[in-house]
Amino acid sequence: MSNSKALEDIIVLDLTRVLAGPYCTMLLADYGAKVIKIEIPKKGDDTRGFGPLKNGSSMYYANVNRGKKGITLNLKDTEGKKIFLEMVKKADIVVENYRPGVMDKLGVGYDVLKKVNDQIIYAAVSGFGCYGPNSQRPGYDIIAQASGGLMSITGEAGGHALRVGNAMGDVLGGTNLTIGILMALHARTLTGKGQRVDVSLVDSVVSSLETGTQRYFASGKQPELMGNRYASAYPYDSFQASDGLFVIGCGNDKLFKLLCEKVLKQPELLIDPRFETNIKRCENYADLKPIIEEWSVQRTIDENVESILAAGVPAAPINDLKRVTTDPHIAEAREMFVSIHHPVIGDMRVNGNPIKLMTTKADISTPAPELGQDNAEIYGKWLGLSSEQMEELTKKNVL
């Protein structure tokens, strides 16, 4: 492991709030980027008031804003704009998730920033992107999941469309924004110039639909709701055990052969014309599922999973969050929950970084900032403002 951090020479001005943008800048901060989170004076990010709260402080905010410096700045104020442009001169990346055009109206849009620093990478994530007929529509996660088609293929057969249980549109948008930023950073090494990165929550959701769109293109029919079943492979579904549900993932004929011979002890299924190919198994899933469940309901979830894995076939329990957060592989070996100390919340666990670099590893040790806690450091030491200047700007609600 190197003492260096992958992004330690990168400075990010973070104007984002809520989830998609902060998730992106969180990933960058974990790998050493100096992320300066800029919030509205006295108010801050909306999520400072989102639950769950502990000791009056938001654990939501603390989870996705760890590792960042925190300052306040009023971009609607003329002096605030001047200060921001001075920071842009020293920065590598500006990240924002306002509705398209807001930064331009404030007088600090990309066209202005690139004149100040032509190497700046301006990265924005919004509901529908910065161009197109719907670009001015407001966007939240549920809007992205609905507009992007994800809800239409999520739900039990015969039921209603459902939102995925987490903010998947926001997380996908934040992840894609991170990828775009890293691409633009590399492009800058080739061209010497920065550029604008535009990511849409809706685009991110549409891109994730994979076989859903292809099934529609092939048939012209809306894909049906199918619960936990997968349209392109079977048995690839949830199944009943004596104490609940578990999943099997047979993605090819070889795995199905192992399941029939070593687990179900029914090799005759391999020559059954309903099940002899993956395509036929997908067509006749309703016949195959009860055969598997006739075996699985006689055993517990863990007994089923252990037997199926022992045969070389993918299977897993449907873990609840208690199991996920105590799983030795997920929580310990993969470090997907990291303990840090927050000055208000106290000791807490935050979600780990899913990207694992083997040499320049992520560092998750610094808690999320209190509102404006780093004003003195950033404006004083970094920009060179005097304490008197900062005091005056604070009184005028610029900082």
Side-chain angles (χ1 to χ4, degrees):
M1 178 178 175
S2 170
N3 290 326
S4 299
K5 298 178 182 178
L7 298 172
E8 65 181 18
D9 62 336
I10 300 300
I11 297 173
V12 181
L13 302 182
D14 179 8
L15 293 164
T16 67
R17 68 262 187 252
V18 191
L19 183 54
Y23 185 85
C24 162
T25 53
M26 175 199 77
L27 296 176
L28 301 175
D30 286 349
Y31 275 98
K34 183 176 183 177
V35 176
I36 302 170
K37 186 174 178 73
I38 303 170
E39 299 180 75
I40 300 170
K42 299 179 181 179
K43 180 179 180 291
D45 189 323
D46 290 344
T47 56
R48 287 188 179 275
F50 286 12
L53 303 178
K54 186 174 181 181
N55 298 329
S57 188
S58 170
M59 296 177 74
Y60 183 130
Y61 179 90
N63 185 42
V64 293
N65 289 289
R66 79 284 182 109
K68 304 174 187 179
K69 300 288 185 181
I71 65 172
T72 53
L73 184 64
N74 184 358
L75 286 177
K76 293 181 179 179
D77 185 276
T78 301
E79 290 182 89
K81 291 182 180 63
K82 290 179 180 177
I83 291 171
F84 180 68
L85 293 177
E86 287 302 310
M87 289 194 285
V88 169
K89 292 177 183 178
K90 295 171 171 282
D92 297 283
I93 302 161
V94 171
V95 188
E96 57 101 341
N97 61 350
Y98 292 109
R99 197 180 302 191
V102 168
M103 289 285 282
D104 295 311
K105 290 178 182 177
L106 289 171
V108 287
Y110 177 60
D111 290 339
V112 173
L113 301 192
K114 70 180 181 180
K115 291 177 182 176
V116 172
N117 178 358
D118 67 359
Q119 293 191 335
I120 201 72
I121 291 163
Y122 182 102
V125 57
S126 60
F128 292 84
C130 73
Y131 59 88
N134 295 338
S135 63
Q136 290 304 302
R137 289 187 181 183
Y140 279 97
D141 172 74
I142 196 168
I143 304 299
Q145 290 198 31
S147 298
L150 183 57
M151 288 178 64
S152 77
I153 58 172
T154 304
E156 291 291 341
H160 298 289
L162 292 175
R163 172 185 171 273
V164 177
N166 72 332
M168 183 55 71
D170 276 335
V171 171
L172 288 170
T175 301
N176 286 337
L177 192 64
T178 306
I179 294 168
I181 286 169
L182 297 178
M183 288 177 175
L185 276 173
H186 182 70
R188 192 175 70 177
T189 67
L190 302 176
T191 67
K193 303 291 184 182
Q195 62 181 292
R196 187 169 183 171
V197 179
D198 178 56
V199 168
S200 153
L201 300 185
V202 174
D203 291 352
S204 297
V205 168
V206 171
S207 177
S208 77
L209 297 180
E210 33 88 26
T211 61
T213 55
Q214 300 311 304
R215 296 199 306 275
Y216 174 75
F217 291 149
S219 68
K221 297 178 181 179
Q222 164 66 29
E224 63 187 28
L225 295 177
M226 58 182 64
N228 295 321
R229 180 167 61 88
Y230 189 47
S232 297
Y234 207 82
Y236 199 104
D237 199 350
S238 60
F239 297 89
Q240 187 69 50
S242 63
D243 58 346
L245 295 173
F246 70 101
V247 299
I248 300 172
C250 271
N252 56 47
D253 290 337
K254 177 183 177 182
L255 292 173
F256 182 63
K257 185 173 187 291
L258 292 173
L259 181 71
C260 293
E261 293 179 344
K262 294 190 175 184
V263 180
L264 303 178
K265 310 294 184 184
Q266 297 186 61
E268 65 274 13
L269 294 176
L270 298 171
I271 56 174
D272 188 313
R274 296 173 296 172
F275 312 134
E276 59 188 4
T277 67
N278 181 60
I279 294 292
K280 290 185 176 181
R281 291 193 296 276
C282 290
E283 293 171 350
N284 297 294
Y285 72 91
D287 295 334
L288 182 53
K289 185 168 187 172
I291 294 173
I292 295 171
E293 290 189 324
E294 184 178 355
W295 171 83
S296 65
V297 293
Q298 303 175 50
R299 298 162 178 80
T300 66
I301 291 171
D302 289 337
E303 288 170 341
N304 283 320
V305 170
E306 183 178 341
S307 296
I308 297 168
L309 288 175
V313 177
I318 300 176
N319 284 341
D320 59 20
L321 292 189
K322 181 178 180 180
R323 292 184 67 149
V324 170
T325 56
T326 57
D327 184 284
H329 175 83
I330 297 169
E332 296 174 24
R334 298 296 294 180
E335 299 178 294
M336 284 311 300
F337 301 99
V338 180
S339 296
I340 63 173
H341 182 78
H342 187 280
V344 178
I345 295 170
D347 292 335
M348 66 177 296
R349 296 169 79 190
V350 295
N351 294 3
N353 196 304
I355 304 162
K356 311 296 184 186
L357 299 188
M358 296 294 98
T359 302
T360 51
K361 294 190 175 182
D363 177 19
I364 304 172
S365 57
T366 306
E370 290 299 291
L371 185 60
Q373 76 169 36
D374 299 301
N375 279 2
E377 177 187 340
I378 300 302
Y379 294 128
K381 295 180 181 179
W382 196 52
L383 282 191
L385 298 182
S386 67
S387 56
E388 290 78 15
Q389 286 175 302
M390 286 187 283
E391 184 177 352
E392 182 64 24
L393 290 167
T394 301
K395 287 180 181 178
K396 293 163 65 175
N397 201 39
V398 177
L399 305 187

